[in-house]
């Protein structure tokens, strides 16, 4: 009788742990969606395809696309090791506020705007770099 | 009566102006904490290191203007798309313990630089390398 009771308790505990982990992972997935990971992945995909020659584009996409779910899974595992379930809930709760909802709605726009601003900065940096080196004295032979 | 009306109008415009400044200050604070500028700070150290002090100062000013332009663009996004209350909500969140922890990932996400991204980028590099080996005549890829 004791043995049966212990076995039942063991299964209940295991089932509860599995259910908790399932909820935890679901909340992580929700957090990732709200913080803009799908938009970031879409942006990176477009970027890499843009820099692939047309002849190799199809082959590149065939090899690239399977890496996306692998990345998503790795990101889920990373966040699960980094954040407690309570922290994830707090982050998701923020994204449910009016400010958070607006941030989520503008994830794509923010990424594009950020990249555009960063590209302008990079161009300016190259200009400055070139200008700072072009009049330097050449080494004597 | 006219003087009183004018005084009231002036008082209102000063109040409105003060609120707008505070909005800009909060947006400035938000951008400072949510945008990673550490790589830009590193790059600054490489500007004009072989030039005279006067030239270096000139190039550093241009560099700082470029970084300022970058941050201003992001500030504009918040100023035009969000209310002051929404900005305050964000600041409150990022000052919480969960928010502070989350900030490190938020900053890196837009650069595709969160920890799992590095492994992903390595896989993509491998794919591109293999494509190049299979098609050696093409040289114009990133």
């Amino acid at each position: 009788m004791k043995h049966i009771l212990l076995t039942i308790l063991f299964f209940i505990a295991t089932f509860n742990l599995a259910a908790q982990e399932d909820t935890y992972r679901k909340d992580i997935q929700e957090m990732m969606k709200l913080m803009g990971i799908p938009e970031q992945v879409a942006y990176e995909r477009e970027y890499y395809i843009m820099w692939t020659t047309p002849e190799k584009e199809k082959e590149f996409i065939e090899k690239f696309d399977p890496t996306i779910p692998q990345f998503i899974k790795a990101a889920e595992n990373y966040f699960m090791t980094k954040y407690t379930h309570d922290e994830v809930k707090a982050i998701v709760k923020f994204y449910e506020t009016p400010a958070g909802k607006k941030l989520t709605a503008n994830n794509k726009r923010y990424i594009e705007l950020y990249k555009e601003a960063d590209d302008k900065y990079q161009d300016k940096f190259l200009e400055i770099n070139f200008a700072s080196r072009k009049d330097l004295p050449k080494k004597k032979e | 009566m006219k003087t009183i009306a004018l005084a009231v109008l002036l008082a209102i415009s000063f109040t409105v102006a003060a609120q707008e400044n505070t909005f800009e200050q909060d947006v400035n604070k938000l951008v400072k904490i949510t945008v990673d500028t550490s790589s830009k700070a590193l790059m600054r150290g490489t500007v004009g290191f072989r030039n005279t002090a006067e030239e270096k100062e000139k190039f550093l000013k241009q560099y700082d203007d470029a970084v300022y332009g970058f941050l201003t663009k992001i500030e504009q996004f918040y100023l035009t798309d969000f209310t002051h209350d929404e900005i305050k909500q964000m600041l409150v969140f990022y000052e919480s313990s969960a928010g502070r922890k989350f900030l490190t990932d938020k900053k890196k996400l837009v650069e595709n630089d969160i920890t799992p991204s590095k492994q992903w980028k390595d896989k993509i590099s491998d794919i591109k390398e293999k494509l190049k080996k299979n098609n050696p005549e093409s040289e114009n890829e990133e």
Side-chain angles (χ1 to χ4, degrees), chain B residues 15-27:
Chain B
T15 312
V16 167
Q19 281 176 350
E20 281 174 356
N21 285 339
T22 311
F23 183 17
E24 280 174 3
Q25 283 168 352
D26 279 346
V27 165

Side-chain angles (χ1 to χ4, degrees), chain A residues 5-139:
Chain A
L5 202 61
L6 278 168
T7 310
I8 291 169
L9 280 171
F10 171 76
F11 274 112
I12 290 171
T14 311
F15 179 76
N16 276 342
L17 271 169
Q20 275 172 28
E21 177 152 323
D22 202 40
T23 313
Y24 185 14
R25 190 170 281 275
K26 282 200 168 94
D27 285 347
I28 290 274
Q29 288 164 351
E30 181 64 12
M31 182 187 82
M32 284 169 58
K33 198 175 77 178
L34 294 168
M35 70 190 278
I37 289 197
E39 289 87 349
Q40 188 66 37
V41 167
Y43 180 90
E44 297 299 325
R45 185 179 185 273
E46 219 177 285
Y47 175 82
Y48 281 112
I49 290 172
M50 189 175 77
W51 284 99
T52 303
T53 56
E55 313 84 61
K56 286 194 250 176
E57 191 176 303
K58 185 169 175 250
E59 195 183 345
F60 177 77
I61 291 172
E62 278 170 8
K63 289 181 167 32
F64 178 88
D65 282 353
T67 68
I68 294 175
Q70 292 166 9
F71 166 70
I72 298 288
K73 195 79 183 177
E76 278 175 26
N77 293 338
Y78 163 72
F79 288 126
M80 280 185 86
T81 56
K82 185 168 177 183
Y83 297 97
T84 64
H85 196 176
D86 281 344
E87 285 168 342
V88 173
K89 285 178 191 171
I91 294 164
V92 169
K93 192 176 172 190
F94 161 71
Y95 275 107
E96 286 165 357
T97 61
K101 282 182 180 167
K102 220 182 226 185
L103 276 173
T104 299
N106 279 290
N107 275 334
K108 184 171 183 249
R109 199 166 145 257
Y110 179 78
I111 292 165
E112 287 167 353
L113 178 143
Y114 182 101
K115 296 291 189 182
E116 198 187 303
D118 198 47
D119 283 347
K120 278 200 172 123
Y121 151 81
Q122 299 281 357
D123 287 346
K124 195 70 198 166
F125 174 63
L126 285 172
E127 251 180 58
I128 294 165
N129 229 359
F130 179 74
S132 72
R133 285 160 203 252
K134 78 178 169 80
D135 291 330
L136 287 173
K138 289 184 182 152
K139 282 182 188 168

Side-chain angles (χ1 to χ4, degrees), chain A residues 31 35-37 40-42 44-45 47-48 51-53 55-56 59-60 63-64 67-68 70-71 74-76 78-79 82-84 86-88 90-92 94-95 97-100 102-103 106-107 109-111 113-122 124-125 127-129 131-133 135-137 139, chain B residues 34-36 39-40 43-44 46-51 55 59-60 62-64 66-67 69-71 73-74 77-78 80-83 85-87 89-90 93-94 97-99 101-107 109-112 114-117 119-121 123-124 127-128 130-132 134-135 138 140-142:
Chain A
M31 182 187 82
M35 70 190 278
I37 289 197
Q40 188 66 37
V41 167
E44 297 299 325
R45 185 179 185 273
Y47 175 82
Y48 281 112
W51 284 99
T52 303
T53 56
E55 313 84 61
K56 286 194 250 176
E59 195 183 345
F60 177 77
K63 289 181 167 32
F64 178 88
T67 68
I68 294 175
Q70 292 166 9
F71 166 70
E76 278 175 26
Y78 163 72
F79 288 126
K82 185 168 177 183
Y83 297 97
T84 64
D86 281 344
E87 285 168 342
V88 173
I91 294 164
V92 169
F94 161 71
Y95 275 107
T97 61
K102 220 182 226 185
L103 276 173
N106 279 290
N107 275 334
R109 199 166 145 257
Y110 179 78
I111 292 165
L113 178 143
Y114 182 101
K115 296 291 189 182
E116 198 187 303
D118 198 47
D119 283 347
K120 278 200 172 123
Y121 151 81
Q122 299 281 357
K124 195 70 198 166
F125 174 63
E127 251 180 58
I128 294 165
N129 229 359
S132 72
R133 285 160 203 252
D135 291 330
L136 287 173
K139 282 182 188 168
Chain B
T34 58
V35 175
D36 188 0
S39 62
K40 290 177 174 59
M43 288 292 110
R44 192 178 192 275
T46 68
V47 171
F49 72 96
R50 286 168 64 194
N51 299 100
E55 285 170 341
F59 290 125
L60 280 175
Q62 289 174 10
Y63 183 82
D64 291 343
V67 175
F70 163 76
L71 291 171
K73 216 66 185 132
I74 298 170
F77 163 76
Y78 287 112
T80 52
D81 284 52
F82 295 85
T83 64
D85 277 342
E86 286 162 352
I87 299 296
Q89 273 174 41
M90 288 184 224
F93 169 66
Y94 290 127
S97 64
K101 206 177 191 182
F102 183 64
L103 261 179
T104 54
D105 288 315
K106 177 162 173 73
K107 283 183 191 184
L109 177 62
V110 76
E111 297 278 3
N112 195 26
I114 56 173
T115 304
S117 298
Q119 295 146 2
W120 190 32
K121 285 184 212 177
K123 276 187 192 163
I124 296 166
I127 292 169
K128 288 162 81 69
K130 282 178 185 156
L131 280 178
K132 264 189 197 163
N134 293 343
N135 299 282
S138 175
N140 293 330
E141 282 183 35
E142 169 91 334

